[in-house]
Amino acid sequence: MMKKNNLGRIITLIGVVASLTAAITAFLMYRDKLKKEEQDLEEYLDCSIL
């Protein structure tokens, strides 16, 4: 019974780590996308003023 309990905890821990990693990666990709869109908008506005 003790081995099943430990195995369940290990599997849960792996799942939690995978979920956190996916969430952090998604956040970083979203932030980079927003930065790129902002830079593109600035470039477009700079070109339209000239």
Side-chain angles (χ1 to χ4, degrees):
M1 187 73 175
M2 193 69 162
K3 286 186 179 187
K4 281 187 177 181
N5 194 15
N6 285 340
L7 182 62
R9 286 184 181 178
I10 291 171
I11 290 173
T12 302
L13 181 64
I14 291 171
V16 168
V17 169
S19 297
L20 287 173
T21 302
I24 291 170
T25 301
F27 171 73
L28 292 175
M29 290 177 68
Y30 178 73
R31 192 180 67 176
D32 287 344
K33 182 181 176 191
L34 287 179
K35 258 189 216 176
K36 180 165 176 24
E37 286 177 355
E38 184 179 315
Q39 289 172 349
D40 290 345
L41 179 61
E42 275 186 37
E43 183 179 327
Y44 174 76
L45 291 175
D46 287 344
C47 291
S48 66
I49 292 173
L50 296 175

